[in-house]
Amino acid sequence: MRPIETLKEMITEAWKMAPTWPANRPFPPDLLSAIEETIGYLDRGKLRICSPTDNGWETHAWLKEAVLLYFKTQLVEETEAGPFQWVDKIPVKKWATEMGVRVVPPATVRYGAFVGTGAVLMPCYINIGAYVGEGSMIDTWATVGSCAQVGRNVHVSGGVGIGGVLEPAQAQPVIIEDDCFIGSRCIIVEGVHVQKGAVLGAGVVLTKSTPIIDMRGSQPVTQKGVVPPNTVVIPGSIPKKFPAGEASVPCALIIGERKESTDKKTSLNQVLREFEVPV
């Protein structure tokens, strides 16, 4: 196995070559193996597309480049399982009991995505480059897009759509930090950052331009792109003027917060009851 810094240098070199490399000529064997080795690190959780630091989160563009190169260098193949058949470039992740992940059919995870020990995958879809932490649950028909980051002990409820992003390589993916609860049919896209312990009620839609309005004080305070830690959020709407008249557009409302002094599960149950949050 090559050192990480060596892999980074080789991926960067291959990325520079990619736009001019003829489609009918494979990359040199050493670059091909570097790409495959890097995707293997992502698959095992040894590397992450985006990782926490003391100053926030850092997106590693070279790892996204490795994913894009992997697409470019893989061949379309036919696969089958019983009566089902697929045609794709990226294989599905393989499971073993000792990995400690419960995978309910027909949950599908692409190779190059990591799922931590103790996680439960109901019939869902997780794309390449994504990261799902230990003890998290991805519920039925939820999707975790390419490179999205989901922390430990997160509940992603049924039908949730967590967006993916590969290009531009430096763009931050969606980040859901530890101990969050994402209610059913929520949509979180465009690199929105949901901080530790937040609770999103059913149907909250968050994009980079969605107003997130804090209603806890005497005056509303609006921000975008980040849900503060331990807050309780529900869907709402605000008026907006257009040339043809005024209409209501979606927003998210912060209506309360979880208490750090109580047990997380107890706090979550209390918060859902107290604020009548649909999930």
Side-chain angles (χ1 to χ4, degrees):
M1 303 292 282
R2 300 178 180 91
I4 301 300
E5 283 304 313
T6 300
L7 287 176
K8 183 176 180 179
E9 291 172 4
M10 296 178 74
I11 294 299
T12 302
E13 178 187 349
W15 183 249
K16 291 177 180 177
M17 294 170 55
T20 57
W21 198 259
N24 60 346
R25 284 180 57 196
F27 277 81
D30 61 330
L31 292 183
L32 281 174
S33 63
I35 294 167
E36 291 171 358
E37 197 170 323
T38 302
I39 301 303
Y41 273 119
L42 289 172
D43 189 75
R44 299 189 300 277
K46 302 299 184 182
L47 290 173
R48 294 177 66 166
I49 295 286
C50 188
S51 56
T53 70
D54 292 338
N55 300 314
W57 287 74
E58 180 181 0
T59 300
H60 307 288
W62 74 275
L63 291 174
K64 282 193 185 180
E65 292 167 358
V67 173
L68 291 166
L69 288 168
Y70 190 62
F71 277 107
K72 187 178 180 68
T73 56
Q74 296 303 293
L75 300 176
V76 173
E77 294 183 349
E78 297 178 3
T79 58
E80 60 181 44
F84 302 105
Q85 294 180 313
W86 299 270
V87 179
D88 193 17
K89 285 187 170 188
I90 310 300
V92 295
K93 191 176 183 75
K94 297 185 183 301
W95 302 102
T97 305
E98 56 267 25
M99 295 168 71
V101 179
R102 181 181 166 205
V103 186
V104 179
T108 302
V109 182
R110 258 178 159 181
Y111 178 69
F114 173 76
V115 181
T117 301
V120 177
L121 307 182
M122 299 303 285
C124 61
Y125 185 82
I126 301 174
N127 210 342
I128 186 172
Y131 184 101
V132 176
E134 296 175 1
S136 289
M137 181 176 195
I138 312 299
D139 220 327
T140 304
W141 308 138
T143 56
V144 180
S146 55
C147 305
Q149 305 291 297
V150 177
R152 295 184 179 91
N153 303 316
V154 173
H155 187 119
V156 177
S157 300
V160 168
I162 297 176
V165 59
L166 276 171
E167 296 183 273
Q170 67 273 18
Q172 177 179 288
V174 171
I175 299 170
I176 313 291
E177 292 189 357
D178 297 351
D179 302 314
C180 288
F181 183 96
I182 311 300
S184 60
R185 272 58 182 178
C186 286
I187 298 173
I188 308 171
V189 296
E190 295 181 350
V192 167
H193 184 177
V194 181
Q195 294 182 328
K196 182 178 173 65
V199 177
L200 273 58
V204 171
V205 176
L206 295 175
T207 72
K208 276 291 189 184
S209 60
T210 302
I212 301 170
I213 306 174
D214 193 338
M215 304 297 290
R216 294 173 292 175
S218 59
Q219 295 292 328
V221 178
T222 300
Q223 63 184 56
K224 296 179 180 180
V226 178
V227 176
N230 295 310
T231 52
V232 181
V233 182
I234 63 172
S237 62
I238 53 174
K240 184 173 181 179
K241 292 183 178 179
F242 297 92
E246 189 175 275
S248 294
V249 296
C251 70
L253 303 176
I254 299 174
I255 60 169
E257 61 185 304
R258 296 168 73 172
K259 306 297 183 184
E260 294 185 9
S261 59
T262 59
D263 175 78
K264 288 294 182 185
K265 290 183 180 179
T266 302
S267 176
L268 177 59
N269 289 333
Q270 287 176 346
V271 114
L272 296 174
R273 286 196 299 267
E274 289 172 8
F275 294 100
E276 299 181 352
V277 176
V279 297

